[in-house]
Amino acid sequence: MRKAPEPRRSSVPTTSCPRSCAAVDDDIIAVSPCRSIDLPTIATKPPQWFALDQAQSILDELPQAWRTMCLLGFYTGLRWDELSGLHHHRIDRRRSHLFVVEVNTKSGLKEYPKSSKSRREVPLPPHLLEALERHLHRLERDAVVLTTITKGRAGRLLDDGNWRRQIWWPAAENARYFDTDGDQHPVPNYPPHAMRHTCASWLVQKGVSLYEVQHLLGHESFQTTQRYAHLQPDAHRAVLGAWERLEAPLTLAV
């Protein structure tokens, strides 16, 4: 029996539609119907982050029981599901580090894959470790650090939606800060994930390399970390230096 000829592959790039590319690769179709169609570009939003006095005002408005959690968010950059899935035995007091391994998901606790960059080691500044010490002394070693505290429901895994509605948004809406002229303003209406952006933004502004920030936050792609590049202290230094070196800068006649 004569063998049927294989479908001819298209020489036209089919990267504009991942599913069509896969269908061509698997010989399901010969040519991608999306070969000349470009997918719309998704605009990357600049990271939302708090200034130091804005973050402090939110901490001051939080119930006492949740201040340590948000302090941890601001100084480690952990995702919310990493914060709410942190275990006592993942905190190394002697080395002032914590290890990000488990996450709190809608289906319960799970571990990051060992190959994932999200599984990482995060340093703890002394004042944060001190705050954690006051919280940890009453917990079993294998306990989750941050859980519900409501009577009758204490010790359960936190729910993202409930925590935002009952804890974060009331504190953020009541928080106020003063500008340089002494006028009072509400803090920006940012979600809890802004604590992660705030951590990265503060570090970049203080000269920490984007490479270090990538590993601290567990970004899989360096492009994700590059959103903070404009905050680097020397981000525009080369450009301004070039203008200063011009032999005859442009002037306006008066």
Side-chain angles (χ1 to χ4, degrees), residues 3-155:
K3 185 178 179 181
E6 294 184 359
R8 186 167 61 89
R9 298 293 178 92
S10 170
S11 60
V12 180
T14 58
T15 55
S16 58
C17 182
R19 289 188 177 181
S20 294
C21 293
V24 171
D25 291 341
D26 293 338
D27 292 331
I28 298 174
I29 58 176
V31 179
S32 169
C34 304
R35 57 185 175 177
S36 299
I37 300 175
D38 293 327
L39 295 176
T41 301
I42 300 176
T44 302
K45 295 182 179 180
Q48 298 174 323
W49 58 279
F50 296 105
L52 187 62
D53 54 350
Q54 295 171 345
Q56 183 62 61
S57 66
I58 291 177
L59 287 177
D60 293 342
E61 290 293 334
L62 285 166
Q64 185 69 39
W66 298 110
R67 292 178 184 177
T68 299
M69 179 177 184
C70 291
L71 194 68
L72 194 62
F74 281 122
Y75 279 94
T76 65
L78 266 62
R79 302 174 177 93
W80 192 89
D81 54 358
E82 296 169 342
L83 280 171
S84 58
L86 179 65
H87 282 62
H88 187 181
H89 67 275
R90 301 299 185 187
I91 299 173
D92 187 336
R93 294 174 169 88
R94 295 184 62 183
R95 296 177 58 209
S96 296
H97 282 70
L98 63 78
F99 299 90
V100 180
V101 179
E102 293 88 5
V103 288
N104 175 20
T105 71
K106 292 187 180 299
S107 57
L109 290 169
K110 71 173 185 178
E111 291 189 10
Y112 278 127
K114 289 186 178 180
S115 60
S116 171
K117 290 185 179 179
S118 295
R119 182 180 284 220
R120 60 200 188 277
E121 187 174 334
V122 178
L124 300 172
H127 75 288
L128 177 55
L129 184 59
E130 182 181 343
L132 276 172
E133 288 278 10
R134 295 194 295 268
H135 183 81
L136 296 174
H137 76 276
R138 63 180 183 273
L139 297 179
E140 298 291 337
R141 178 159 175 75
D142 60 348
V144 175
V145 175
L146 301 159
T147 58
T148 57
I149 58 175
T150 305
K151 188 175 181 180
R153 298 177 62 86

Side-chain angles (χ1 to χ4, degrees), residues 45-50 188-191 193-198 201 227-228:
K45 295 182 179 180
Q48 298 174 323
W49 58 279
F50 296 105
N189 196 31
Y190 296 156
H193 194 72
M195 291 189 290
R196 178 171 165 84
H197 291 314
T198 299
S201 300
R227 290 179 298 169
Y228 305 100

Side-chain angles (χ1 to χ4, degrees), residues 80 159-173 192:
W80 192 89
D159 177 82
D160 185 11
N162 289 341
W163 191 85
R164 287 172 181 240
R165 184 172 58 256
Q166 298 172 13
I167 307 300
W168 177 264
W169 289 125
E173 289 170 5

Side-chain angles (χ1 to χ4, degrees), residues 165-195:
R165 184 172 58 256
Q166 298 172 13
I167 307 300
W168 177 264
W169 289 125
E173 289 170 5
N174 290 330
R176 298 290 184 272
Y177 73 100
F178 292 93
D179 62 19
T180 55
D181 295 326
D183 296 326
Q184 193 178 64
H185 302 277
V187 301
N189 196 31
Y190 296 156
H193 194 72
M195 291 189 290

